[in-house]
C-alpha cells in the first residue's frame, strides 16, 4: 500500500493538504473563493455571510429538519452585515456561513470557536441541517452551515467574512489512550515537567505571575463596542481589570464574571497530533475553563517557534463564588492522531497569533 493510500485508510484528523483536496473536489464549497490563509494545519476557518437573524432563543433543527425552516419559528428580525452591524450582549443571532459541505461518507466534522472568539467571551457554535448537537457535522453531510452567536460580555461589530469558528474534519475516531499519551509524553514532552495523565493530559492554572504582571484579567461590564476587524487596536484597560494576587493567594471567581487566565504548564502538540481542550472534572469546581478548544499541530513545538506556549483559559464561574488556587487542575487536553503530518504547522510561518504565548488577551487588544 502506498503512503497516500495508507493515510487515506488511517483514522484521525485530516491535515491541511487533505482539506485543500476536499475543497478542490467540491466537498467544501463557498460563496466566494477560500482565502489563502483560511486553511489551518488541522482545520478550516469559517466565514460569516452577509445576513444575520436575531432570534428569540437558541435552537437545534432536529433530525430531518432544515435550519432555514426553523428560523421562521424563532427569527425576530433580519440584519444586513454588509456595512457592519452590532451584535449586542444578551442577544442570540444566527448567521449563514459562506462555506457549505458535501462530505465523503466516511468524513465527519467538529467545530469550535476560534481562540480570539473565546477570549472575547463571544459564545459561538456551528449548526448543520438535521443537527441534534451543536458543533457536530455528520459523516457524508451535504448542506449549508450556520453560526449561532451570543455575545456574553462585549458587544461586537461584525462584517461578512469575519471568522469566528473553525471546523476540523475527521475520519473515524482515534483518540489517544492514556497509555499512548504516556508514551508520547516520554518521546516528545507534551508539558514541561511531570505529566498528569488521566482520561487526557491534565493541566493546572498559573496564579503566580512574574513581578509586576497581572495573574489574569477580569472583563469589565458595559464596555464599548469591539470592531472584529480592528487588530492590536484597543487599550486593554478600557475593557479589562488586571487581577493581582491577594494576601491569601489565589483568586475568588465571582458568579457570572468572565476571566482570562493561563495554564501553569507549557503545552506541546507534536506535528503528527491535534488536541482539544476539555473540562477536567465537574466535581473540581463550579466553573468552566474553555470556550475555544482546538490546538493545532505544532502548537508549542520548538521547530515551529513555539517552545514554551501556555494554554490560555477562558473562565466563567457558575452559581457560587469559587476560590481558585495556584496549581489547581482545571482542564485536560485530549489528543488525536493526524492521518498524515500537515504540510503547514501552527506558528509564525503562517502568521499564527498565539504561538509562544503567555497570558494573552485576544489579538484585538494592544499587547502590554
Amino acid at each position: 500500500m502506498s503512503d497516500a493510500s495508507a493515510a487515506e485508510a488511517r483514522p484521525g484528523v485530516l491535515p491541511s493538504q487533505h482539506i485543500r483536496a476536499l475543497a478542490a473536489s467540491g466537498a467544501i464549497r463557498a460563496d466566494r473563493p477560500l482565502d489563502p490563509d483560511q486553511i489551518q494545519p488541522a482545520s478550516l476557518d469559517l466565514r460569516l455571510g452577509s445576513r444575520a437573524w436575531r432570534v428569540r432563543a437558541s435552537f437545534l433543527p432536529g433530525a430531518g429538519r432544515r435550519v432555514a425552516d426553523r428560523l421562521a419559528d424563532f427569527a425576530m428580525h433580519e440584519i444586513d452585515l454588509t456595512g457592519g452591524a452590532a451584535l449586542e450582549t444578551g442577544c442570540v443571532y444566527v448567521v449563514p456561513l459562506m462555506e457549505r459541505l458535501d462530505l465523503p461518507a466516511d468524513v465527519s466534522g467538529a467545530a469550535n470557536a476560534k481562540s480570539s472568539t473565546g477570549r472575547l467571551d463571544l459564545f459561538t457554535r456551528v449548526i448543520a441541517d438535521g443537527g441534534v448537537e451543536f458543533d457536530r457535522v455528520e459523516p457524508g453531510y451535504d448542506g449549508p452551515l450556520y453560526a449561532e452567536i451570543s455575545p456574553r460580555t462585549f458587544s461586537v461589530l461584525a462584517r461578512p467574512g469575519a471568522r469566528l469558528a473553525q471546523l476540523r474534519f475527521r475520519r473515524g475516531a482515534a483518540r489517544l489512550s492514556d497509555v499512548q499519551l504516556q508514551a508520547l509524553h516520554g518521546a516528545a514532552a507534551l508539558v514541561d515537567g511531570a505529566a498528569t495523565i488521566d482520561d487526557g493530559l491534565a493541566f493546572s492554572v498559573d496564579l503566580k505571575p512574574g513581578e509586576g504582571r497581572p495573574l489574569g484579567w477580569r472583563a469589565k461590564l458595559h464596555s464599548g463596542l469591539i470592531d472584529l476587524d480592528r487588530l492590536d487596536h484597543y487599550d486593554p484597560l478600557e475593557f479589562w481589570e488586571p487581577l493581582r494576587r491577594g494576601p491569601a493567594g489565589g483568586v475568588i471567581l465571582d458568579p457570572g464574571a468572565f476571566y482570562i487566565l493561563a495554564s501553569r504548564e507549557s503545552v506541546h502538540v507534536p506535528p503528527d497530533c491535534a488536541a482539544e481542550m476539555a473540562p477536567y472534572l465537574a466535581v473540581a469546581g463550579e466553573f468552566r475553563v474553555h470556550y475555544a478548544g482546538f490546538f493545532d499541530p505544532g502548537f508549542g513545538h520548538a521547530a515551529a517557534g513555539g517552545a514554551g506556549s501556555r494554554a490560555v483559559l477562558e473562565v466563567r464561574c457558575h452559581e457560587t463564588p469559587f476560590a481558585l488556587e495556584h496549581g489547581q487542575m482545571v482542564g485536560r487536553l485530549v489528543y488525536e492522531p493526524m492521518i498524515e503530518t500537515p504540510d503547514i504547522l501552527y506558528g509564525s510561518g503562517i502568521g499564527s497569533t498565539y504561538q509562544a504565548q503567555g497570558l494573552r488577551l485576544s489579538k484585538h487588544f494592544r499587547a502590554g
Side-chain angles (χ1 to χ4, degrees):
M1 182 182 291
S2 69
D3 290 345
S5 298
E8 289 294 336
R10 187 181 304 135
V13 177
L14 272 61
S16 46
Q17 61 269 31
H18 287 248
I19 298 173
R20 286 192 210 98
L22 288 177
S25 71
I28 300 170
R29 302 191 296 276
D31 296 343
R32 72 184 193 201
L34 296 181
D35 299 327
D37 61 346
Q38 198 172 339
I39 295 175
Q40 301 295 314
S43 62
L44 173 71
D45 288 350
L46 301 173
R47 300 168 296 180
L48 300 185
S50 60
R51 298 180 297 162
W53 281 268
R54 164 80 164 90
V55 295
R56 57 191 176 87
S58 173
F59 67 90
L60 283 165
R65 307 179 75 177
R66 301 191 313 157
V67 174
D69 295 334
R70 298 305 312 277
L71 272 172
D73 299 329
F74 296 98
M76 299 171 67
H77 60 89
E78 185 176 340
I79 301 167
D80 183 2
L81 299 181
T82 304
L87 306 183
E88 300 181 29
T89 56
C91 299
V92 182
Y93 303 88
V94 172
V95 184
L97 297 169
M98 290 186 181
E99 291 73 31
R100 63 175 293 129
L101 304 175
D102 184 5
L103 293 178
D106 62 342
V107 174
S108 63
N112 214 318
K114 289 179 63 65
S115 295
S116 292
T117 308
R119 296 181 202 198
L120 290 176
D121 201 16
L122 192 57
F123 189 61
T124 302
R125 302 186 286 192
V126 170
I127 316 173
D129 284 347
V132 295
E133 292 182 277
F134 292 105
D135 291 334
R136 293 292 178 265
V137 179
E138 292 298 314
Y141 177 75
D142 181 4
L145 298 171
Y146 300 79
E148 178 197 277
I149 305 168
S150 180
R152 298 292 182 85
T153 298
F154 306 122
S155 296
V156 299
L157 186 69
R159 299 179 183 84
R163 305 180 197 176
L164 301 185
Q166 55 194 352
L167 186 65
R168 190 170 277 181
F169 300 93
R170 292 185 174 100
R171 179 176 291 114
R175 171 178 168 175
L176 296 185
S177 69
D178 284 353
V179 172
Q180 291 171 314
L181 274 182
Q182 290 281 10
L184 184 60
H185 176 64
L190 300 181
V191 292
D192 52 340
T196 300
I197 295 176
D198 181 9
D199 196 25
L201 177 70
F203 58 87
S204 61
V205 64
D206 180 13
L207 297 179
K208 288 185 177 178
E211 185 67 28
R213 297 181 180 179
L215 59 83
W217 297 90
R218 171 179 164 145
K220 293 181 178 180
L221 298 177
H222 316 299
S223 298
L225 187 71
I226 294 177
D227 186 333
L228 294 176
D229 288 348
R230 290 185 178 270
L231 307 182
D232 195 29
H233 176 77
Y234 296 99
D235 180 354
L237 295 179
E238 293 183 6
F239 295 83
W240 300 90
E241 298 172 0
L243 295 176
R244 305 295 178 185
R245 187 173 173 84
V251 63
I252 295 179
L253 305 178
D254 292 324
F258 182 70
Y259 301 84
I260 297 293
L261 303 172
S263 70
R264 183 176 60 165
E265 299 81 6
S266 295
V267 176
H268 173 213
V269 182
D272 58 353
C273 290
E276 185 171 359
M277 195 183 294
Y280 183 56
L281 287 171
V283 295
E286 290 302 314
F287 56 91
R288 175 176 174 166
V289 296
H290 74 99
Y291 290 87
F294 284 164
F295 288 70
D296 269 321
F299 181 86
H301 189 61
S309 294
R310 305 289 185 93
V312 167
L313 314 176
E314 302 124 15
V315 179
R316 180 179 294 281
C317 187
H318 295 323
E319 299 299 326
T320 59
F322 185 79
L324 193 61
E325 303 293 336
H326 176 74
Q328 184 169 341
M329 294 296 180
V330 293
R332 56 192 168 91
L333 286 179
V334 175
Y335 282 72
E336 297 178 274
M338 304 296 298
I339 67 168
E340 192 174 33
T341 301
D343 60 2
I344 55 175
L345 293 179
Y346 189 91
S348 58
I350 61 169
S352 304
T353 302
Y354 304 117
Q355 187 70 294
Q357 69 181 352
L359 178 68
R360 175 76 189 273
L361 298 173
S362 82
K363 59 188 177 183
H364 304 87
F365 299 98
R366 295 194 294 268

